[in-house]
């Protein structure tokens, strides 16, 4: 029998090693080990040591001892041989391995509670309806694993668990040894649970940078990851408000300049700008276009768009300046050329405008829109905005 147990032990260990290990550790410093004396036919509750932040699983062992018996090995020492808790709950093998090699003849039932109030109620009435787990068949020893994803006994913010025992000995006291060892997830140990993460994401969503974007999810997740890497949650909470603002700003700039996020940010802005121009909200489109330009991400088409908005808001000098910059960026962009011709026309420089209109009249400004048709559309938009000129018809006759 001893040989079989030894073989089982090595099989279990080999099984663990074939799978990727979880990132964490058995926290032996905050393990619970209690020897409890329970009077005959009595009930008693015992709480665990405070579970560390990031506890995602616990393994517990209950052993009943006869008088003067001592534990031959602790649960902590057994778990040293197991790299992570993956296999403990995979059938009976792990539980058998964790069992104490000794136990007495006495038996008890036990239940697990997540609140002191429920535990006290159990002591007074013996009912287990509020227990998250109840072992109603008397046992002399038991061992189990409870995990965050499979047991209601362990929740994300659980710090203490209560064990309730009921003696099934009618005459004599019982000695029960309770051992509980928590498994701590390395990442969660930094204190970043779901609520804390959502807190950072929500604050990010209200930032100026995030509001420039149609979808700021990637941007805010980027900031969250940088904060989590740099700080434990408790450390971040201790920062002064001005320090938190600087952290958001620094990490925000870093994420804003990330190639993929940056591309999405400016594409989102361009989509917003196109919608604003279509709705004739040129004053609202101009600041967004300036954001792209000031960030050094503008194309010649962006310069053409802001030049067009400046024309519609009768800011002709600014229109000339940005359109000239667009020409330097791409001298073949005909939308820039056309808007430059428009601004010359409206600034009473018909001669300069005429040479541009004539030069490109047989080309398309896009793959499907001719220079002539675009000119007609623009003149109609100018007239609708109250921008009048006696030279519109002269230009159209040139074509």
């Amino acid at each position: 029998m001893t040989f079989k147990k030894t073989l089982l032990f090595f099989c279990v260990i080999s099984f663990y090693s074939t799978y990727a290990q979880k990132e964490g550790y058995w926290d032996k410093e905050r393990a619970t080990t209690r020897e409890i004396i329970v009077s005959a036919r009595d009930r008693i509750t015992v709480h665990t040591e405070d579970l560390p932040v990031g506890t995602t699983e616990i393994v517990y062992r209950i052993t009943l001892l006869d008088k003067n018996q001592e534990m031959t090995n602790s649960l902590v020492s057994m778990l040293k041989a197991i790299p992570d808790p993956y296999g403990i709950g995979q059938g009976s093998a792990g539980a058998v391995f964790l069992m104490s090699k000794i136990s007495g003849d006495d038996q008890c039932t036990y239940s697990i509670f997540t609140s002191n109030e429920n535990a006290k109620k159990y002591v007074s009435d013996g009912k287990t309806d509020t227990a998250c787990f109840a072992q109603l068949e008397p046992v002399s020893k038991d061992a189990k694993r409870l995990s965050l994803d499979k047991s209601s006994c362990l929740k994300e913010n659980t710090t203490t668990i209560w064990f309730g025992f009921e003696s099934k000995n009618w005459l004599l006291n019982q000695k029960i040894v309770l051992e509980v060892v928590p498994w701590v997830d390395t990442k969660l140990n930094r204190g970043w649970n779901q609520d804390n993460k959502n807190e950072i994401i929500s604050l990010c969503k209200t930032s100026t940078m995030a509001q420039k974007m149609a979808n700021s999810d990637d941007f805010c997740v980027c900031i969250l990851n940088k904060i989590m890497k740099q700080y434990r949650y408790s450390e971040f909470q201790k920062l002064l408000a001005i320090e938190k603002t600087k952290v958001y700003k620094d990490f925000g700039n870093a994420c804003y300049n990330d190639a993929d996020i940056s591309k999405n940010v400016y594409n989102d802005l361009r989509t917003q700008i196109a919608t604003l121009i279509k709705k004739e909200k040129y004053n609202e489109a101009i600041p967004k276009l300036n954001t792209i330009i000031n960030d050094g991400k503008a194309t010649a088409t962006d310069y053409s768009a802001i030049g067009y908005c400046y024309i519609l808001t009768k800011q002709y000098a600014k229109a000339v300046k940005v359109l000239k910059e667009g020409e330097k960026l791409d001298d073949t962009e005909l939308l820039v050329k056309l808007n430059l011709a428009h601004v010359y026309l409206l600034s009473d420089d018909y001669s300069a405008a005429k040479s541009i209109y004539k030069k490109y009249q047989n080309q398309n400004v896009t793959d499907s829109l001719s220079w002539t048709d675009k000119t007609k559309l623009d003149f109609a938009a100018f007239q609708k905005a109250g921008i009048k000129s006696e030279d519109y018809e002269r230009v159209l006759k040139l074509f």
Side-chain angles (χ1 to χ4, degrees), residues 338-350:
L338 183 58
N339 282 325
L340 200 55
H342 292 337
V343 77
Y344 286 149
L345 182 72
L346 297 173
S347 300
D348 297 325
D349 192 346
Y350 178 78

Side-chain angles (χ1 to χ4, degrees), residues 156-175:
E156 198 168 66
N157 297 317
T158 299
T159 56
T160 309
I161 294 174
W162 286 260
F163 283 79
F165 298 96
E166 182 172 0
S167 170
K168 293 303 177 181
N169 194 330
W170 284 84
L171 300 172
L172 303 175
N173 294 345
Q174 291 180 334
K175 182 162 75 170

Side-chain angles (χ1 to χ4, degrees), residues 189-227:
N189 180 240
R190 297 179 65 79
W192 291 102
N193 60 32
Q194 201 65 35
D195 290 339
N196 298 338
K197 290 178 183 178
N198 285 334
E199 177 186 329
I200 301 298
I201 294 293
S202 297
L203 286 171
C204 170
K205 292 280 188 179
T206 64
S207 68
T208 304
M209 288 183 180
Q211 289 180 348
K212 293 178 182 178
M213 311 170 198
N215 187 340
S216 60
D217 288 352
D218 288 347
F219 173 71
C220 289
V221 168
C222 176
I223 291 179
L224 172 63
N225 287 336
K226 288 183 181 296
I227 291 175

Side-chain angles (χ1 to χ4, degrees), residues 83-100:
D84 69 53
Y86 180 84
I88 293 176
Q90 309 301 308
S92 60
V96 169
F97 167 64
L98 294 172
M99 283 287 198
S100 172

